[in-house]
mmCIF file with all atom_site columns, all heavy atoms in Angstrom:
data_model
loop_
_atom_site.group_PDB
_atom_site.id
_atom_site.type_symbol
_atom_site.label_atom_id
_atom_site.label_alt_id
_atom_site.label_comp_id
_atom_site.label_asym_id
_atom_site.label_entity_id
_atom_site.label_seq_id
_atom_site.pdbx_PDB_ins_code
_atom_site.Cartn_x
_atom_site.Cartn_y
_atom_site.Cartn_z
_atom_site.occupancy
_atom_site.B_iso_or_equiv
_atom_site.pdbx_formal_charge
_atom_site.auth_seq_id
_atom_site.auth_comp_id
_atom_site.auth_asym_id
_atom_site.auth_atom_id
_atom_site.pdbx_PDB_model_num
ATOM   1   N  N   . CYS A 1 61  ? -3.751 13.200 12.817 1.00 98.00 ? 61  CYS A N   1
ATOM   2   C  CA  . CYS A 1 61  ? -3.979 11.806 13.104 1.00 98.00 ? 61  CYS A CA  1
ATOM   3   C  C   . CYS A 1 61  ? -4.297 11.651 14.595 1.00 98.00 ? 61  CYS A C   1
ATOM   4   O  O   . CYS A 1 61  ? -3.658 12.292 15.451 1.00 98.00 ? 61  CYS A O   1
ATOM   5   C  CB  . CYS A 1 61  ? -2.776 10.983 12.772 1.00 98.00 ? 61  CYS A CB  1
ATOM   6   S  SG  . CYS A 1 61  ? -3.108 9.187  12.894 1.00 98.00 ? 61  CYS A SG  1
ATOM   7   N  N   . ARG A 1 62  ? -5.272 10.751 14.926 1.00 98.00 ? 62  ARG A N   1
ATOM   8   C  CA  . ARG A 1 62  ? -5.664 10.536 16.302 1.00 98.00 ? 62  ARG A CA  1
ATOM   9   C  C   . ARG A 1 62  ? -4.796 9.420  16.910 1.00 98.00 ? 62  ARG A C   1
ATOM   10  O  O   . ARG A 1 62  ? -4.918 9.099  18.100 1.00 98.00 ? 62  ARG A O   1
ATOM   11  C  CB  . ARG A 1 62  ? -7.117 10.195 16.402 1.00 98.00 ? 62  ARG A CB  1
ATOM   12  C  CG  . ARG A 1 62  ? -7.454 8.831  15.858 1.00 98.00 ? 62  ARG A CG  1
ATOM   13  C  CD  . ARG A 1 62  ? -8.924 8.491  15.839 1.00 98.00 ? 62  ARG A CD  1
ATOM   14  N  NE  . ARG A 1 62  ? -9.017 7.053  15.644 1.00 98.00 ? 62  ARG A NE  1
ATOM   15  C  CZ  . ARG A 1 62  ? -9.442 6.237  16.600 1.00 98.00 ? 62  ARG A CZ  1
ATOM   16  N  NH1 . ARG A 1 62  ? -9.830 6.627  17.751 1.00 98.00 ? 62  ARG A NH1 1
ATOM   17  N  NH2 . ARG A 1 62  ? -9.501 4.917  16.337 1.00 98.00 ? 62  ARG A NH2 1
ATOM   18  N  N   . LYS A 1 63  ? -3.958 8.803  16.087 1.00 98.00 ? 63  LYS A N   1
ATOM   19  C  CA  . LYS A 1 63  ? -3.224 7.618  16.578 1.00 98.00 ? 63  LYS A CA  1
ATOM   20  C  C   . LYS A 1 63  ? -1.724 7.965  16.922 1.00 98.00 ? 63  LYS A C   1
ATOM   21  O  O   . LYS A 1 63  ? -1.235 8.998  16.547 1.00 98.00 ? 63  LYS A O   1
ATOM   22  C  CB  . LYS A 1 63  ? -3.282 6.548  15.542 1.00 98.00 ? 63  LYS A CB  1
ATOM   23  C  CG  . LYS A 1 63  ? -4.534 5.804  15.569 1.00 98.00 ? 63  LYS A CG  1
ATOM   24  C  CD  . LYS A 1 63  ? -4.373 4.532  14.876 1.00 98.00 ? 63  LYS A CD  1
ATOM   25  C  CE  . LYS A 1 63  ? -5.404 3.503  15.263 1.00 98.00 ? 63  LYS A CE  1
ATOM   26  N  NZ  . LYS A 1 63  ? -5.391 2.431  14.268 1.00 98.00 ? 63  LYS A NZ  1
ATOM   27  N  N   . ASN A 1 64  ? -1.136 6.964  17.553 1.00 98.00 ? 64  ASN A N   1
ATOM   28  C  CA  . ASN A 1 64  ? 0.240  7.141  18.015 1.00 98.00 ? 64  ASN A CA  1
ATOM   29  C  C   . ASN A 1 64  ? 1.152  5.932  17.641 1.00 98.00 ? 64  ASN A C   1
ATOM   30  O  O   . ASN A 1 64  ? 1.926  5.508  18.452 1.00 98.00 ? 64  ASN A O   1
ATOM   31  C  CB  . ASN A 1 64  ? 0.242  7.320  19.564 1.00 98.00 ? 64  ASN A CB  1
ATOM   32  C  CG  . ASN A 1 64  ? 0.451  8.773  19.909 1.00 98.00 ? 64  ASN A CG  1
ATOM   33  O  OD1 . ASN A 1 64  ? 1.296  9.465  19.247 1.00 98.00 ? 64  ASN A OD1 1
ATOM   34  N  ND2 . ASN A 1 64  ? -0.209 9.246  20.914 1.00 98.00 ? 64  ASN A ND2 1
ATOM   35  N  N   . CYS A 1 65  ? 0.941  5.436  16.461 1.00 98.00 ? 65  CYS A N   1
ATOM   36  C  CA  . CYS A 1 65  ? 1.744  4.319  15.967 1.00 98.00 ? 65  CYS A CA  1
ATOM   37  C  C   . CYS A 1 65  ? 3.243  4.613  16.262 1.00 98.00 ? 65  CYS A C   1
ATOM   38  O  O   . CYS A 1 65  ? 3.698  5.737  15.924 1.00 98.00 ? 65  CYS A O   1
ATOM   39  C  CB  . CYS A 1 65  ? 1.488  4.045  14.510 1.00 98.00 ? 65  CYS A CB  1
ATOM   40  S  SG  . CYS A 1 65  ? -0.263 3.820  14.117 1.00 98.00 ? 65  CYS A SG  1
ATOM   41  N  N   . TYR A 1 67  ? 5.924  3.919  14.964 1.00 98.00 ? 67  TYR A N   1
ATOM   42  C  CA  . TYR A 1 67  ? 6.901  3.998  13.882 1.00 98.00 ? 67  TYR A CA  1
ATOM   43  C  C   . TYR A 1 67  ? 6.695  5.208  12.959 1.00 98.00 ? 67  TYR A C   1
ATOM   44  O  O   . TYR A 1 67  ? 7.516  5.547  12.140 1.00 98.00 ? 67  TYR A O   1
ATOM   45  C  CB  . TYR A 1 67  ? 6.758  2.736  12.975 1.00 98.00 ? 67  TYR A CB  1
ATOM   46  C  CG  . TYR A 1 67  ? 5.328  2.360  12.732 1.00 98.00 ? 67  TYR A CG  1
ATOM   47  C  CD1 . TYR A 1 67  ? 4.606  2.918  11.683 1.00 98.00 ? 67  TYR A CD1 1
ATOM   48  C  CD2 . TYR A 1 67  ? 4.686  1.380  13.557 1.00 98.00 ? 67  TYR A CD2 1
ATOM   49  C  CE1 . TYR A 1 67  ? 3.281  2.554  11.473 1.00 98.00 ? 67  TYR A CE1 1
ATOM   50  C  CE2 . TYR A 1 67  ? 3.344  1.062  13.329 1.00 98.00 ? 67  TYR A CE2 1
ATOM   51  C  CZ  . TYR A 1 67  ? 2.657  1.643  12.289 1.00 98.00 ? 67  TYR A CZ  1
ATOM   52  O  OH  . TYR A 1 67  ? 1.322  1.365  12.084 1.00 98.00 ? 67  TYR A OH  1
ATOM   53  N  N   . CYS A 1 68  ? 5.555  5.893  13.113 1.00 98.00 ? 68  CYS A N   1
ATOM   54  C  CA  . CYS A 1 68  ? 5.111  6.850  12.045 1.00 98.00 ? 68  CYS A CA  1
ATOM   55  C  C   . CYS A 1 68  ? 5.344  8.300  12.482 1.00 98.00 ? 68  CYS A C   1
ATOM   56  O  O   . CYS A 1 68  ? 4.935  8.698  13.565 1.00 98.00 ? 68  CYS A O   1
ATOM   57  C  CB  . CYS A 1 68  ? 3.632  6.576  11.741 1.00 98.00 ? 68  CYS A CB  1
ATOM   58  S  SG  . CYS A 1 68  ? 2.973  7.749  10.535 1.00 98.00 ? 68  CYS A SG  1
ATOM   59  N  N   . LEU A 1 70  ? 3.782  10.807 11.544 1.00 98.00 ? 70  LEU A N   1
ATOM   60  C  CA  . LEU A 1 70  ? 2.543  11.577 11.667 1.00 98.00 ? 70  LEU A CA  1
ATOM   61  C  C   . LEU A 1 70  ? 1.826  11.299 13.026 1.00 98.00 ? 70  LEU A C   1
ATOM   62  O  O   . LEU A 1 70  ? 0.762  11.888 13.262 1.00 98.00 ? 70  LEU A O   1
ATOM   63  C  CB  . LEU A 1 70  ? 1.559  11.217 10.543 1.00 98.00 ? 70  LEU A CB  1
ATOM   64  C  CG  . LEU A 1 70  ? 2.046  11.376 9.092  1.00 98.00 ? 70  LEU A CG  1
ATOM   65  C  CD1 . LEU A 1 70  ? 0.902  11.213 8.126  1.00 98.00 ? 70  LEU A CD1 1
ATOM   66  C  CD2 . LEU A 1 70  ? 2.782  12.672 8.868  1.00 98.00 ? 70  LEU A CD2 1
ATOM   67  N  N   . ARG A 1 71  ? 2.432  10.503 13.887 1.00 98.00 ? 71  ARG A N   1
ATOM   68  C  CA  . ARG A 1 71  ? 1.769  10.115 15.124 1.00 98.00 ? 71  ARG A CA  1
ATOM   69  C  C   . ARG A 1 71  ? 1.366  11.376 15.929 1.00 98.00 ? 71  ARG A C   1
ATOM   70  O  O   . ARG A 1 71  ? 2.055  12.408 15.863 1.00 98.00 ? 71  ARG A O   1
ATOM   71  C  CB  . ARG A 1 71  ? 2.659  9.142  15.948 1.00 98.00 ? 71  ARG A CB  1
ATOM   72  C  CG  . ARG A 1 71  ? 3.926  9.770  16.466 1.00 98.00 ? 71  ARG A CG  1
ATOM   73  C  CD  . ARG A 1 71  ? 4.898  8.691  16.873 1.00 98.00 ? 71  ARG A CD  1
ATOM   74  N  NE  . ARG A 1 71  ? 4.328  7.831  17.907 1.00 98.00 ? 71  ARG A NE  1
ATOM   75  C  CZ  . ARG A 1 71  ? 4.340  8.082  19.176 1.00 98.00 ? 71  ARG A CZ  1
ATOM   76  N  NH1 . ARG A 1 71  ? 4.954  9.161  19.651 1.00 98.00 ? 71  ARG A NH1 1
ATOM   77  N  NH2 . ARG A 1 71  ? 3.797  7.268  20.040 1.00 98.00 ? 71  ARG A NH2 1
ATOM   78  N  N   . LYS A 1 72  ? 0.245  11.266 16.616 1.00 98.00 ? 72  LYS A N   1
ATOM   79  C  CA  . LYS A 1 72  ? -0.346 12.399 17.270 1.00 98.00 ? 72  LYS A CA  1
ATOM   80  C  C   . LYS A 1 72  ? 0.648  13.145 18.228 1.00 98.00 ? 72  LYS A C   1
ATOM   81  O  O   . LYS A 1 72  ? 0.645  14.380 18.248 1.00 98.00 ? 72  LYS A O   1
ATOM   82  C  CB  . LYS A 1 72  ? -1.538 11.866 18.127 1.00 98.00 ? 72  LYS A CB  1
ATOM   83  C  CG  . LYS A 1 72  ? -2.330 12.888 18.799 1.00 98.00 ? 72  LYS A CG  1
ATOM   84  C  CD  . LYS A 1 72  ? -3.514 12.188 19.482 1.00 98.00 ? 72  LYS A CD  1
ATOM   85  C  CE  . LYS A 1 72  ? -4.184 13.149 20.378 1.00 98.00 ? 72  LYS A CE  1
ATOM   86  N  NZ  . LYS A 1 72  ? -4.864 12.463 21.504 1.00 98.00 ? 72  LYS A NZ  1
ATOM   87  N  N   . CYS A 1 106 ? -4.454 9.693  4.286  1.00 98.00 ? 106 CYS A N   1
ATOM   88  C  CA  . CYS A 1 106 ? -4.314 10.685 5.359  1.00 98.00 ? 106 CYS A CA  1
ATOM   89  C  C   . CYS A 1 106 ? -4.173 9.972  6.730  1.00 98.00 ? 106 CYS A C   1
ATOM   90  O  O   . CYS A 1 106 ? -4.317 8.755  6.807  1.00 98.00 ? 106 CYS A O   1
ATOM   91  C  CB  . CYS A 1 106 ? -5.544 11.586 5.418  1.00 98.00 ? 106 CYS A CB  1
ATOM   92  S  SG  . CYS A 1 106 ? -7.102 10.704 5.520  1.00 98.00 ? 106 CYS A SG  1
ATOM   93  N  N   . GLY A 1 107 ? -3.873 10.812 7.736  1.00 98.00 ? 107 GLY A N   1
ATOM   94  C  CA  . GLY A 1 107 ? -3.912 10.304 9.106  1.00 98.00 ? 107 GLY A CA  1
ATOM   95  C  C   . GLY A 1 107 ? -5.312 9.857  9.451  1.00 98.00 ? 107 GLY A C   1
ATOM   96  O  O   . GLY A 1 107 ? -6.245 10.261 8.785  1.00 98.00 ? 107 GLY A O   1
ATOM   97  N  N   . GLU A 1 108 ? -5.401 9.062  10.482 1.00 98.00 ? 108 GLU A N   1
ATOM   98  C  CA  . GLU A 1 108 ? -6.697 8.514  10.855 1.00 98.00 ? 108 GLU A CA  1
ATOM   99  C  C   . GLU A 1 108 ? -7.492 9.502  11.778 1.00 98.00 ? 108 GLU A C   1
ATOM   100 O  O   . GLU A 1 108 ? -7.009 9.945  12.757 1.00 98.00 ? 108 GLU A O   1
ATOM   101 C  CB  . GLU A 1 108 ? -6.549 7.191  11.581 1.00 98.00 ? 108 GLU A CB  1
ATOM   102 C  CG  . GLU A 1 108 ? -7.847 6.551  11.966 1.00 98.00 ? 108 GLU A CG  1
ATOM   103 C  CD  . GLU A 1 108 ? -7.623 5.213  12.595 1.00 98.00 ? 108 GLU A CD  1
ATOM   104 O  OE1 . GLU A 1 108 ? -6.968 4.313  11.965 1.00 98.00 ? 108 GLU A OE1 1
ATOM   105 O  OE2 . GLU A 1 108 ? -8.077 4.985  13.746 1.00 98.00 ? 108 GLU A OE2 1
ATOM   106 N  N   . GLU A 1 163 ? -0.041 -4.057 8.875  1.00 98.00 ? 163 GLU A N   1
ATOM   107 C  CA  . GLU A 1 163 ? 1.367  -3.725 9.417  1.00 98.00 ? 163 GLU A CA  1
ATOM   108 C  C   . GLU A 1 163 ? 2.061  -5.041 9.832  1.00 98.00 ? 163 GLU A C   1
ATOM   109 O  O   . GLU A 1 163 ? 3.193  -5.183 9.518  1.00 98.00 ? 163 GLU A O   1
ATOM   110 C  CB  . GLU A 1 163 ? 1.335  -2.733 10.556 1.00 98.00 ? 163 GLU A CB  1
ATOM   111 C  CG  . GLU A 1 163 ? 0.411  -1.542 10.390 1.00 98.00 ? 163 GLU A CG  1
ATOM   112 C  CD  . GLU A 1 163 ? 0.741  -0.646 9.183  1.00 98.00 ? 163 GLU A CD  1
ATOM   113 O  OE1 . GLU A 1 163 ? 1.680  -0.887 8.480  1.00 98.00 ? 163 GLU A OE1 1
ATOM   114 O  OE2 . GLU A 1 163 ? -0.013 0.332  8.948  1.00 98.00 ? 163 GLU A OE2 1
ATOM   115 N  N   . ARG A 1 185 ? -8.208 -3.752 13.931 1.00 98.00 ? 185 ARG A N   1
ATOM   116 C  CA  . ARG A 1 185 ? -7.620 -3.669 12.622 1.00 98.00 ? 185 ARG A CA  1
ATOM   117 C  C   . ARG A 1 185 ? -8.070 -4.860 11.731 1.00 98.00 ? 185 ARG A C   1
ATOM   118 O  O   . ARG A 1 185 ? -8.416 -4.700 10.579 1.00 98.00 ? 185 ARG A O   1
ATOM   119 C  CB  . ARG A 1 185 ? -6.062 -3.675 12.752 1.00 98.00 ? 185 ARG A CB  1
ATOM   120 C  CG  . ARG A 1 185 ? -5.335 -3.265 11.504 1.00 98.00 ? 185 ARG A CG  1
ATOM   121 C  CD  . ARG A 1 185 ? -4.898 -1.803 11.662 1.00 98.00 ? 185 ARG A CD  1
ATOM   122 N  NE  . ARG A 1 185 ? -4.169 -1.226 10.508 1.00 98.00 ? 185 ARG A NE  1
ATOM   123 C  CZ  . ARG A 1 185 ? -4.202 0.076  10.221 1.00 98.00 ? 185 ARG A CZ  1
ATOM   124 N  NH1 . ARG A 1 185 ? -4.939 0.875  10.948 1.00 98.00 ? 185 ARG A NH1 1
ATOM   125 N  NH2 . ARG A 1 185 ? -3.553 0.536  9.211  1.00 98.00 ? 185 ARG A NH2 1
HETATM 126 FE FE1 . SF4 B 2 .   ? -1.646 7.796  11.977 1.00 73.56 ? 402 SF4 B FE1 1
HETATM 127 FE FE2 . SF4 B 2 .   ? -1.535 6.028  9.949  1.00 73.56 ? 402 SF4 B FE2 1
HETATM 128 FE FE3 . SF4 B 2 .   ? 0.722  7.137  10.924 1.00 73.56 ? 402 SF4 B FE3 1
HETATM 129 FE FE4 . SF4 B 2 .   ? -0.602 5.348  12.418 1.00 73.56 ? 402 SF4 B FE4 1
HETATM 130 S  S1  . SF4 B 2 .   ? 0.405  4.971  10.404 1.00 73.56 ? 402 SF4 B S1  1
HETATM 131 S  S2  . SF4 B 2 .   ? 0.236  7.362  13.141 1.00 73.56 ? 402 SF4 B S2  1
HETATM 132 S  S3  . SF4 B 2 .   ? -2.680 5.829  11.855 1.00 73.56 ? 402 SF4 B S3  1
HETATM 133 S  S4  . SF4 B 2 .   ? -0.926 8.131  9.869  1.00 73.56 ? 402 SF4 B S4  1
#
Side-chain angles (χ1 to χ4, degrees):
C61 189
R62 71 184 195 111
K63 280 199 158 164
N64 256 321
C65 307
Y67 44 85
C68 176
L70 305 190
R71 65 197 304 273
K72 185 175 168 209
C106 54
E108 180 177 303
E163 318 298 358
R185 196 99 181 153

